[in-house]
Amino acid sequence: MRSSLTFRDGLKGGLPIALAYLSVSFGFGIQAAQASLSPLTAALISLTNVTSAGQLAGLTIIAAGGSLMELMLAEFVINIRYALMSVSLTQKLDDSFTTLPRLICSFSMTDELYAVAASNRGCIGKTYFYGLMLLPVPAWALGTWLGAAAGAILPRALNAAMGVALYAMFLAIILPPSTKSRAIALCVAVAALLSCAITWIPFFSFITPGFSVVLCALLAAVPAAYFFPLKDEDEEGGDAR
């Protein structure tokens, strides 16, 4: 089956995302400048990663002189959700999505692109997704370059203030679902407490930034999975009866 969505439809869907990425990635560029990365290096990181949380965690590890293993583990844990999104989206792909288009489109898989693509009724084709990813990916890299270039010349106080934008985006992502789901609220609370403990309690000073990210993510998921397990469809059906 072929999708009726066109390349132009993808461009329309990707334009608002691109504008948002342009402003948010500016904050990452500021953070990169504070870590003494050049605008070109920062832009290349954004262009080849396209992941806000993963990039910020990676930048923290790089700035702290962490090992390659720490960086790999942190990125794997933080970005594994993109693989799950890609698997989920395969249920909506039309016949035009052969192996090569899937590889190309998987590169740009983000929360926002997934949400827009998955919200369309019916199947989606490769030309639509090409249009959807065309603007957001370079906008993310451009915003990073602009932020890093500005961070190199702006006063330190202004840099610190503008760098808060990236953290504000993370709060905007986690707070709304936390008010609706006790499992998510528990995850967020446990991760925050663990991060504070590792940062400020001297006993945990041996834990490097990279492994701190991994530990907080994994240990925060354990109580949420234990206390709020997902019910099987059979169980839900049985409850309904």
Side-chain angles (χ1 to χ4, degrees), residues 64-128:
S67 66
L68 183 59
M69 182 58 68
E70 291 177 63
L71 187 61
M72 291 171 59
L73 283 174
E75 295 303 308
F76 176 79
V77 172
I78 293 173
N79 297 324
I80 190 64
R81 71 185 190 278
Y82 295 130
L84 302 178
M85 291 178 189
S86 298
V87 171
S88 173
L89 198 61
T90 58
Q91 307 303 311
K92 294 178 64 69
L93 305 184
D94 69 6
D95 299 335
S96 67
F97 260 103
T98 55
T99 300
L100 181 59
R102 291 186 183 214
L103 291 175
I104 294 173
C105 294
S106 66
F107 164 77
S108 65
M109 183 61 66
T110 64
D111 303 84
E112 294 77 17
L113 292 182
Y114 169 78
V116 171
S119 65
N120 287 292
R121 293 185 176 181
C123 57
I124 59 176
K126 64 179 182 180
T127 54
Y128 167 78

Side-chain angles (χ1 to χ4, degrees), residues 26-239:
F26 192 92
F28 174 75
I30 293 287
Q31 297 287 337
Q34 293 176 352
S36 301
L37 296 184
S38 69
L40 178 59
T41 301
L44 286 175
I45 290 175
S46 283
L47 187 62
T48 55
N49 286 269
V50 201
T51 163
S52 55
Q55 287 180 210
L56 186 59
L59 182 63
T60 302
I61 297 169
I62 292 171
S67 66
L68 183 59
M69 182 58 68
E70 291 177 63
L71 187 61
M72 291 171 59
L73 283 174
E75 295 303 308
F76 176 79
V77 172
I78 293 173
N79 297 324
I80 190 64
R81 71 185 190 278
Y82 295 130
L84 302 178
M85 291 178 189
S86 298
V87 171
S88 173
L89 198 61
T90 58
Q91 307 303 311
K92 294 178 64 69
L93 305 184
D94 69 6
D95 299 335
S96 67
F97 260 103
T98 55
T99 300
L100 181 59
R102 291 186 183 214
L103 291 175
I104 294 173
C105 294
S106 66
F107 164 77
S108 65
M109 183 61 66
T110 64
D111 303 84
E112 294 77 17
L113 292 182
Y114 169 78
V116 171
S119 65
N120 287 292
R121 293 185 176 181
C123 57
I124 59 176
K126 64 179 182 180
T127 54
Y128 167 78
F129 207 96
Y130 288 159
L132 187 63
M133 65 182 282
L134 181 62
L135 298 178
V137 173
W140 183 257
L142 176 61
T144 299
W145 185 88
L146 292 173
I153 59 176
L154 292 176
R156 183 181 298 273
L158 186 57
N159 276 343
M162 298 183 71
V164 174
L166 199 60
Y167 297 99
M169 183 199 71
F170 294 143
L171 290 176
I173 292 174
I174 64 175
L175 288 181
S178 295
T179 60
K180 301 177 182 178
S181 169
R182 288 183 294 175
I184 296 177
L186 179 62
C187 256
V188 171
V190 172
L193 290 174
L194 287 173
S195 180
C196 290
I198 293 173
T199 301
W200 290 320
I201 298 178
F203 177 78
F204 297 113
S205 59
F206 67 93
I207 301 178
T208 58
F211 286 113
S212 173
V213 172
V214 175
L215 286 174
C216 290
L218 293 179
L219 294 179
V222 171
Y226 180 80
F227 290 109
F228 303 100
L230 293 177
K231 293 183 178 180
D232 293 334
E233 293 182 2
D234 293 340
E235 293 180 3
E236 292 179 350
D239 293 340

Side-chain angles (χ1 to χ4, degrees), residues 12-39:
K12 290 180 179 179
L15 179 59
I17 300 176
L19 295 176
Y21 280 3
L22 190 64
S23 58
V24 172
S25 61
F26 192 92
F28 174 75
I30 293 287
Q31 297 287 337
Q34 293 176 352
S36 301
L37 296 184
S38 69

